[in-house]
Amino acid sequence: MKKSLLVAAIAALSSFGTFAQGYYYHKTTGTNSVEYNPRNSTGTTDVILAEATPKTKTLSAAQTIPFTWNFYGNPITGYKVSSSGYITFNTSMTADSNNNVALPSPAAPAGAIFAFWDNLKVVFATGVNTTYPQGVRSWTYGTAPNRVHVVQWQLLQKDDGSANLANITQFAVRFYEADGGTKFDIVHNFGAGTLNATVGTQDLMGNATQVTGSPNLNFGGANGGVNAATERVYTFYYGNQVAYDVRLNSIDVEKFLSPGQASNIGYSFYNNGAQTITSFRVNYSVDGAAPVSQNVTGVSVAGGNEGQTYATVHSTPFSSTVASSKKITVWVDNINGANADLDNSNDTLSKPNTIVSTTVKRKSLQEVFTSSTCPPCLPG
């Protein structure tokens, strides 16, 4: 009987491993939320305080996320933060590991998110402007049910005996309450010097997702300063990545046109799906009228964790002879033949356009100022 139960337990565990879901990620550039400030010090909690004496291989006290959140499908009750650049949900863990390895690995802390796992130290860096807070802090922004909990490592240095601020980086993990409380992202704000980190996640069973370049990934974002437009973002989604998912990034059309004036419609999209896109149909509609479609073939837009962006213009320009306000809507379908986009929440964008009744030519006047006391100034 005991043998039968053991066999059944092993079979169940094997079945779980076969069908268990995991995380996949999308790599993008830029943090678009005006609420997220990587230098934030207002309303924050000091998780690991930066002091003159370096803190290495340090785990924080147990912390909490102020809303329901799940990791690999399991509810989270607390977490600990490491000075070595990761978060563990095993709050009974007492020993830190700063020797980063590739994932999956039994040598890696189990049940963890690796924001920037490397041999790092939390230390009060000398010569840093006071507007740059240091250490590891947490805070929450937004309102329910769309709150975001942030764990921010601020100005960590490599624990390798190098000079002050020679090898330094700043990064964060953001937990999202929305969409069932399973999504998180890793933000690499900026850095300087050379670091070699592991970035990704691993559960208690050894299921893992690793960012390309690990375990030798250098910092993302700007080199040496905060710039929201260049911060590297890895957004992790729980579940199975769908085969076909186009996320329309932008459309470009003249804001004002004269009657009969033609304008090309530019567009760009990111391949969120798992499959490489080799063909598709792009469509635009004006005020809900019948779509103007173009079949595009002979392309190769990679998908997977680190998909690619594709940008071009529609082959049929838009024009109208009637003066009025218009709304131009663009979307992509028929991916790789007749495959539908499997996430319609992000595959359509619209932009206003105005056909003006008349235009007036204007002459511009350029003035150059000079002075009798400032040779060799240009003459007026």
Side-chain angles (χ1 to χ4, degrees):
M1 181 66 178
K2 289 183 178 179
K3 183 176 180 181
S4 299
L5 289 174
L6 179 60
V7 170
I10 293 173
L13 184 61
S14 299
S15 176
F16 174 81
T18 301
F19 298 102
Q21 290 184 322
Y23 281 94
Y24 65 94
Y25 70 88
H26 288 149
K27 175 184 175 183
T28 56
T29 300
T31 49
N32 299 320
S33 172
V34 295
E35 297 177 294
Y36 170 63
N37 174 15
R39 297 180 183 175
N40 186 35
S41 59
T42 303
T44 61
T45 298
D46 285 311
V47 180
I48 302 178
L49 186 66
E51 299 177 298
T53 301
K55 295 177 180 177
T56 62
K57 301 188 71 174
T58 300
L59 284 175
S60 73
Q63 310 293 310
T64 58
I65 300 175
F67 47 77
T68 301
W69 198 79
N70 298 276
F71 184 61
Y72 281 94
N74 299 307
I76 295 303
T77 57
Y79 64 89
K80 287 185 174 181
V81 179
S82 166
S83 62
S84 303
Y86 64 87
I87 290 172
T88 177
F89 300 107
N90 179 9
T91 53
S92 62
M93 183 174 167
T94 57
D96 178 72
S97 173
N98 67 347
N99 183 25
N100 68 297
V101 296
L103 303 175
S105 172
I113 294 174
F114 302 94
F116 198 83
W117 183 26
D118 198 4
N119 181 23
L120 303 174
K121 61 183 177 182
V122 176
V123 60
F124 191 80
T126 58
V128 174
N129 190 301
T130 55
T131 60
Y132 289 84
Q134 300 181 46
V136 185
R137 302 182 183 217
S138 68
W139 69 91
T140 301
Y141 64 81
T143 56
N146 296 297
R147 289 171 289 181
V148 180
H149 183 64
V150 182
V151 178
Q152 181 82 47
W153 288 259
Q154 296 167 320
L155 296 179
L156 267 66
Q157 298 190 56
K158 183 87 170 179
D159 185 30
D160 60 355
S162 57
N164 180 56
L165 301 177
N167 298 314
I168 193 167
T169 185
Q170 182 154 318
F171 51 92
V173 171
R174 299 188 295 185
F175 300 94
Y176 291 83
E177 182 182 22
D179 301 322
T182 61
K183 186 178 79 172
F184 70 91
D185 64 24
I186 296 170
V187 182
H188 289 177
N189 305 117
F190 68 90
T194 302
L195 299 105
N196 303 96
T198 298
V199 179
T201 184
Q202 179 170 291
D203 72 358
L204 293 171
M205 302 293 293
N207 300 300
T209 301
Q210 176 178 263
V211 167
T212 302
S214 302
N216 298 302
L217 193 66
N218 204 2
F219 60 86
N223 189 330
V226 173
N227 184 343
T230 62
E231 292 176 335
R232 187 70 46 75
V233 181
Y234 301 94
T235 304
F236 284 73
Y237 302 89
Y238 181 64
N240 299 314
Q241 187 177 20
V242 298
Y244 301 107
D245 179 14
V246 167
R247 185 188 74 214
L248 213 60
N249 287 336
S250 64
I251 59 175
D252 183 27
V253 62
E254 295 288 341
K255 188 174 182 180
F256 298 101
L257 293 172
S258 301
Q261 180 184 357
S263 175
N264 290 321
I265 297 178
Y267 63 94
S268 71
F269 66 78
Y270 178 85
N271 185 3
N272 267 355
Q275 296 295 318
T276 296
I277 295 176
T278 57
S279 66
F280 61 90
R281 182 174 67 180
V282 59
N283 316 271
Y284 75 82
S285 172
V286 181
D287 292 338
V292 180
S293 301
Q294 176 196 358
N295 292 314
V296 179
T297 60
V299 299
S300 180
V301 188
N305 285 324
E306 301 192 11
Q308 292 180 330
T309 297
Y310 180 84
T312 188
V313 296
H314 197 288
S315 60
T316 304
F318 159 71
S319 66
S320 175
T321 58
V322 180
S324 62
S325 296
K326 307 289 186 181
K327 185 174 83 168
I328 299 175
T329 302
V330 177
W331 70 97
V332 169
D333 59 13
N334 286 8
I335 306 169
N336 290 0
N339 296 292
D341 190 303
L342 299 175
D343 181 0
N344 297 129
S345 67
N346 58 11
D347 60 2
T348 302
L349 285 178
S350 297
K351 193 170 185 178
N353 169 267
T354 301
I355 308 299
V356 298
S357 56
T358 58
T359 59
V360 179
K361 290 185 177 181
R362 303 290 186 182
K363 290 185 177 181
S364 60
L365 173 65
Q366 180 179 3
E367 295 182 280
V368 179
F369 294 91
T370 186
S371 170
S372 60
T373 59
C374 68
C377 296
L378 292 173

